[in-house]
Amino acid sequence: MPAKRRAPAAQPSQPKKARLSRLAKENNLTAEEESEIKEAFQLFAEPQLDDFPDEKNGVLPVADVRRALIALGLSPTSKDEMHEIMSTLDPTDVGFVPYEPFVTVCALKMHARTSTAQTAEIEQAFQLFTAGTKGPISVAHLRRIARELKEDIGEEQLRDMILEANGGAGVNKGVRLDEFEGVMKRAGVFS
């Protein structure tokens, strides 16, 4: 009698990572971000129209572009910005926006939002170092931070930190905001 075959051992199921579409890759979007954009687009989209036979996702009436952006949390900041978005999405005044250009505009707004938030966070961290002054960060500021964190750091090490951050421009020059941002990015705190 032949040996019985065993069922393959059950492997632990890992959540499948959503595969990125070509459009998501081109616009540097995560699968989740693309899914959010698609959901907002489809909320307001018209089904396939004769003028757009290749648009399987339908088309978005220009009157609904602002609503779709608001649904994504990407509200235009001014009438000028909205006008610029509309001239990008519907340059020939057809009255409808295909899916791909809409994704591209949303991706640009998402990336800009991220960049703006990061800049604000860097400025806030800089203000913590300078105790609310305009800067630059001095040895005295670093000494105060070390004391608050109960770190025993020698004077020479504090001076070296300043020189490393400002590219050797001198201890008395301190560390300006742009140099501080560079240090944070090199340290991997910000990308």
Side-chain angles (χ1 to χ4, degrees):
M1 188 183 265
K4 289 185 179 178
R5 284 190 170 177
R6 290 186 180 178
Q11 294 182 358
S13 63
Q14 296 176 353
K16 282 190 173 182
K17 205 174 188 182
R19 191 170 163 194
L20 290 179
S21 71
R22 171 193 57 81
L23 198 53
K25 289 176 188 173
E26 286 175 359
N27 290 291
N28 197 24
L29 292 170
T30 65
E32 184 180 302
E33 289 169 332
E34 182 187 25
S35 175
E36 286 177 30
I37 292 169
K38 189 171 194 170
E39 187 177 326
F41 184 87
Q42 289 176 338
L43 208 93
F44 300 100
E46 297 284 331
Q48 288 182 329
L49 300 174
D50 293 337
D51 293 343
F52 301 95
D54 297 333
E55 292 301 324
K56 64 181 180 185
N57 292 312
V59 289
L60 189 64
V62 293
D64 291 329
V65 170
R66 186 172 185 279
R67 288 185 196 110
L69 291 171
I70 290 170
L72 288 165
L74 303 173
S75 304
T77 56
S78 66
K79 286 183 180 183
D80 289 338
E81 182 187 9
M82 188 62 205
H83 180 71
E84 186 179 329
I85 289 170
M86 293 311 300
S87 65
T88 301
L89 292 176
D90 187 22
T92 57
D93 288 325
V94 175
F96 294 96
V97 176
Y99 179 64
E100 283 194 29
F102 182 75
V103 169
T104 302
V105 166
C106 289
L108 289 171
K109 284 198 59 77
M110 283 179 165
H111 297 314
R113 175 181 63 188
T114 305
S115 158
T116 304
Q118 182 176 332
T119 300
E121 205 171 333
I122 290 170
E123 288 173 0
Q124 187 177 15
F126 185 79
Q127 292 295 312
L128 289 174
F129 274 87
T130 62
T133 65
K134 287 186 177 181
I137 297 172
S138 66
V139 172
H141 291 125
L142 291 180
R143 191 180 309 117
R144 177 184 55 80
I145 295 291
R147 194 173 40 250
E148 287 176 9
L149 296 174
K150 295 179 176 57
E151 292 288 332
D152 187 27
I153 300 176
E155 195 70 21
E156 190 63 33
Q157 207 171 4
L158 294 173
R159 290 174 188 270
D160 288 345
M161 292 167 110
I162 295 286
L163 291 171
E164 175 70 27
N166 71 15
V171 174
N172 293 332
K173 295 275 186 188
V175 180
R176 297 184 321 266
L177 177 60
D178 61 319
E179 295 166 334
F180 178 75
E181 182 177 356
V183 169
M184 293 292 108
K185 287 183 177 182
R186 284 192 307 271
V189 177
F190 299 103
S191 54

